Amino acid sequence: MKKNTKISPVFPIIFLLVFSLFGCKTKSEKVKHSAVKNPIKPNVLFILVDDLGYADLSVMGSKYYETPNIDKIAKSGSVFTNGYAACTVCSPSRASLLTGQSPARHGITQFEGRNLSGQAWKTKKRYTKLLPPEFNEHLDPNTLTLAEAFKEEGYATFFAGKWHLGSKEQKSLPTDHGFDVNIGGFQSGSPSGGYFSPYKNPNLPNLPEEKGQNLSMKLAKETSNFITKNKDKHFLAYLSFYAVHGPIQTTKEKWAKYRNKAEKMGIHENGFEMERVLPARKYQDNPVYAGLIEQVDDAVGSVLKTLKDLGLDKNTIIVFTSDNGGVTSGDNFSTNQLSLRGGKGYQWEGGIRIPYFIDVPWIKQNGGNINVPVSGTDLFPTLLDLSGLSLKPENHKDGVSLKPLLEGEKIDERPLYWHYPHYGNQGGEPSSIIRKGKWKLIYYWEDLHSELYNLETDLKETNNVAENNPKIANQMKTQLLTWLKSMGTHYATEDPLWDKEARQKWLENQKTKRLPSLEKERKEMLSPDWQPNKDWWGSEVETK
């Protein structure tokens, strides 16, 4: 066994708001459970969609995106309306899903790839007040992963898709961390070569007959092949889509479908507004992004069909989630989270609250909502518990089993924590967060001020009530800083040569230059005669 090391809504969004206000509850709704017997060593299908936002599914309130297959998982299982990613960006969250540890503990506090710390950060020319700290650049080989825990129990383990937790040279690929098979996982965080075959991926072969096939369906088919080959064994299949990460692409057919839908819904004259740092998308009206989401849904549907055709749907646990919020700012400025402020990279709810579904066939909740705040770190112990395997609290130190909640019982109330001492490409600021009951406190490292929000009455996080509730704010700040100290984590440091005027000019350019450019791109994409770059239309006929 490996040891740890430590470093120094099934309803429309308006209805979801009512339910999510009760995040301080410690009990799920009472539901009727089926009498299906818990199978010995059930199978596990873990579906992870990259950058998928809380409101990016029709089951979570979107009127624009269409996701009937993913919706089935939510309606069949349980929706955690206060489900959170462990970080606002991908690599830290992905490490937390696999280890059950927070980024502050495992040390991967920023996404992998070309990130700089200290004085080297200044070559990015963001002119920020703080210099980001160093961070671990790949999974620690001595940290037990979810895959290794299941492999120890005789499970066949499989990984397909985005890895972004190390490279071959670092000896940190999926096969170095407990997965028997790796299809498409390497150090890249985006789909090299785009979303259509031929792919530029060293671990994803290009077959002549698959030319033009979309990447999401390719990964789904590989997952189905693995399931079919191991139908008589116990398996853990980890399907980690590259979608819906940028650069976003879809087929001409799906773009036209959603362009026409946007027109019928009414295209707004202006589609962006300034957030604190970058412009942010105001509406869900991006037809390329919508098509990309539907491609993921088609792919999920094909894997669900495989389970059903093989008679495995009754003894397979399905987890469906995302690694961070949807991209409202930065990257492709793709979406909007409706009731939530911000998106990927941001410290507000839009950056960390995500779709979080668990479907356990023998615990049928028939679409039940669970409003207790939970984290991606909880999935490791939850899957062990649901599979009848021994928990490993010395490993998944920051997660707890959610099995009691799924069964309609309680878990102890606890605070949730986040630590992101970096500047995000999407506008996020170096900050740490604590969520406790209805209260959420954000502590900013640039000037050490706090924002306090009552999520029961202000889910959009527009009213900072720290000054009106000094006792609560101070208590939560003290608890947060005490926790961070216990993690031995790293912090950003002030740049003694900070050029404040250069920073202000950079910020002004986002408003005067970048925002108008985004408005122009949006209008072009929504025009009937729009044509994308010649290097990515994909197949004219989508391969199913």
Side-chain angles (χ1 to χ4, degrees):
M1 183 181 296
K2 295 189 176 182
K3 297 181 179 179
N4 292 299
T5 58
K6 183 174 78 172
I7 75 164
S8 204
V10 184
F11 305 101
I13 206 72
I14 189 70
F15 198 44
L16 261 177
L17 287 178
V18 178
F19 277 95
S20 62
L21 298 181
F22 298 95
C24 59
K25 288 186 177 181
T26 59
K27 193 172 184 180
S28 62
E29 282 70 26
K30 286 295 183 180
V31 293
K32 293 181 179 181
H33 305 298
S34 69
V36 178
K37 186 178 180 180
N38 185 345
I40 299 175
K41 287 189 175 181
N43 303 312
V44 176
L45 172 62
F46 196 116
I47 303 174
L48 177 61
V49 184
D50 193 28
D51 289 356
L52 186 74
Y54 184 77
D56 283 351
L57 303 171
S58 50
V59 75
M60 298 296 283
S62 177
K63 301 298 183 184
Y64 187 55
Y65 310 130
E66 298 178 17
T67 53
N69 295 301
I70 296 170
D71 294 355
K72 289 178 183 177
I73 299 174
K75 293 174 181 177
S76 176
S78 298
V79 173
F80 288 80
T81 61
N82 284 267
Y84 288 99
C87 187
T88 64
V89 295
C90 55
S91 295
S93 290
R94 289 167 176 270
S96 294
L97 289 171
L98 289 171
T99 65
Q101 298 179 13
S102 69
R105 188 185 299 275
H106 60 59
I108 302 175
T109 55
Q110 175 67 306
F111 68 89
E112 305 287 326
R114 298 192 304 278
N115 275 297
L116 303 172
S117 59
Q119 287 293 329
W121 163 254
K122 296 171 73 170
T123 61
K124 294 274 189 178
K125 296 185 178 180
R126 304 276 184 86
Y127 309 106
T128 58
K129 182 178 181 180
L130 302 182
L131 302 175
E134 294 183 356
F135 61 97
N136 286 352
E137 296 184 354
H138 58 85
L139 270 182
D140 188 326
N142 294 313
T143 300
L144 186 79
T145 67
L146 175 70
E148 288 168 328
F150 273 84
K151 188 172 182 178
E152 286 179 357
E153 297 292 338
Y155 277 71
T157 56
F158 169 89
F159 184 92
K162 176 174 173 174
W163 177 244
H164 209 197
L165 289 171
S167 65
K168 180 179 179 180
E169 292 71 25
Q170 294 167 323
K171 296 183 179 179
S172 186
L173 290 177
T175 45
D176 298 307
H177 293 283
F179 290 101
D180 298 322
V181 180
N182 170 33
I183 302 293
F186 68 125
Q187 68 267 28
S188 178
S190 60
S192 299
Y195 280 102
F196 297 96
S197 178
Y199 317 109
K200 296 178 181 179
N201 185 316
N203 296 318
L204 192 64
N206 290 295
L207 303 178
E209 64 271 21
E210 293 178 341
K211 185 176 181 180
Q213 182 180 53
N214 80 67
L215 177 58
S216 297
M217 187 60 72
K218 167 67 173 178
L219 297 174
K221 286 188 173 184
E222 292 287 351
T223 303
S224 290
N225 290 340
F226 168 80
I227 290 173
T228 301
K229 290 177 182 178
N230 291 275
K231 61 184 177 62
D232 297 321
K233 302 177 183 178
H234 310 301
F235 62 79
L236 164 66
Y238 202 102
L239 174 53
S240 175
F241 289 106
Y242 278 94
V244 288
H245 193 286
I248 57 173
Q249 299 172 354
T250 191
T251 63
K252 187 174 184 178
E253 177 186 30
K254 291 192 186 302
W255 163 78
K257 171 184 175 179
Y258 287 101
R259 194 219 72 84
N260 293 338
K261 186 172 183 178
E263 188 172 61
K264 289 179 181 179
M265 293 175 67
I267 297 175
H268 298 269
E269 177 63 24
N270 296 309
F272 293 88
E273 61 186 354
M274 284 303 300
E275 204 12 295
R276 189 176 290 172
V277 176
L278 296 178
R281 198 175 195 97
K282 295 171 64 176
Y283 311 105
Q284 293 184 345
D285 62 0
N286 186 325
V288 174
Y289 185 72
L292 184 57
I293 288 178
E294 187 175 304
Q295 286 172 205
V296 171
D297 188 74
D298 292 341
V300 169
S302 73
V303 179
L304 298 181
K305 184 177 184 299
T306 296
L307 290 176
K308 188 173 181 62
D309 290 346
L310 294 174
L312 298 175
D313 53 321
K314 300 303 182 186
N315 71 327
T316 300
I317 302 164
I318 301 176
V319 169
F320 180 92
T321 193
S322 176
D323 56 352
N324 47 247
V327 184
T328 301
S329 297
D331 302 344
N332 283 95
F333 296 81
S334 302
T335 188
N336 177 277
Q337 293 312 303
L338 303 179
S339 63
L340 307 180
R341 182 179 180 182
K344 176 183 178 181
Y346 280 111
Q347 55 275 10
W348 300 297
E349 290 293 279
I352 52 179
R353 197 181 290 215
I354 52 170
Y356 196 119
F357 313 150
I358 303 178
D359 184 11
V360 186
W362 55 95
I363 311 178
K364 280 298 178 184
Q365 296 220 22
N366 300 316
N369 278 5
I370 297 175
N371 304 315
V372 177
V374 299
S375 169
T377 57
D378 298 326
L379 289 170
F380 189 161
T382 299
L383 289 173
L384 289 178
D385 204 4
L386 289 171
S387 302
L389 307 180
S390 298
L391 297 183
K392 301 178 182 295
E394 71 280 8
N395 295 288
H396 47 71
K397 293 182 177 181
D398 299 308
V400 301
S401 173
L402 305 180
K403 182 180 178 182
L405 294 176
L406 292 165
E407 294 177 336
E409 303 301 327
K410 298 179 180 180
I411 62 172
D412 293 337
E413 187 175 75
R414 60 190 169 136
L416 297 180
Y417 300 97
W418 292 263
H419 180 57
Y420 186 62
H422 306 274
Y423 290 93
N425 291 340
Q426 304 80 19
E429 302 161 66
S431 58
S432 300
I433 305 168
I434 177 173
R435 161 90 195 257
K436 190 174 183 181
K438 66 183 181 181
W439 297 105
K440 175 183 174 183
L441 182 132
I442 306 172
Y443 187 69
Y444 291 87
W445 293 103
E446 276 197 350
D447 58 7
L448 308 183
H449 87 279
S450 298
E451 292 175 357
L452 180 68
Y453 299 104
N454 181 342
L455 297 182
E456 279 191 1
T457 58
D458 184 23
L459 191 59
K460 191 73 172 178
E461 296 171 286
T462 58
N463 185 24
N464 176 12
V465 296
E467 290 187 3
N468 297 332
N469 299 272
K471 184 176 180 180
I472 293 173
N474 288 330
Q475 287 177 342
M476 292 185 71
K477 183 179 78 171
T478 298
Q479 189 171 2
L480 172 62
L481 297 179
T482 299
W483 178 81
L484 287 170
K485 184 177 181 180
S486 73
M487 292 294 103
T489 191
H490 294 168
Y491 304 87
T493 56
E494 189 166 351
D495 181 4
L497 301 177
W498 179 44
D499 188 339
K500 185 177 181 180
E501 291 184 4
R503 176 63 174 175
Q504 291 301 320
K505 183 178 180 180
W506 185 91
L507 291 171
E508 185 64 23
N509 283 340
Q510 307 310 307
K511 181 178 180 179
T512 59
K513 296 182 179 180
R514 196 167 195 179
L515 190 148
S517 176
L518 290 169
E519 292 285 13
K520 180 182 177 182
E521 290 175 9
R522 170 179 171 268
K523 290 181 179 179
E524 290 175 349
M525 188 178 289
L526 285 165
S527 67
D529 57 352
W530 178 71
Q531 291 292 325
N533 295 334
K534 293 181 180 180
D535 61 345
W536 77 261
W537 227 170
S539 173
E540 290 290 334
V541 179
E542 186 171 355
T543 306
K544 294 293 185 183

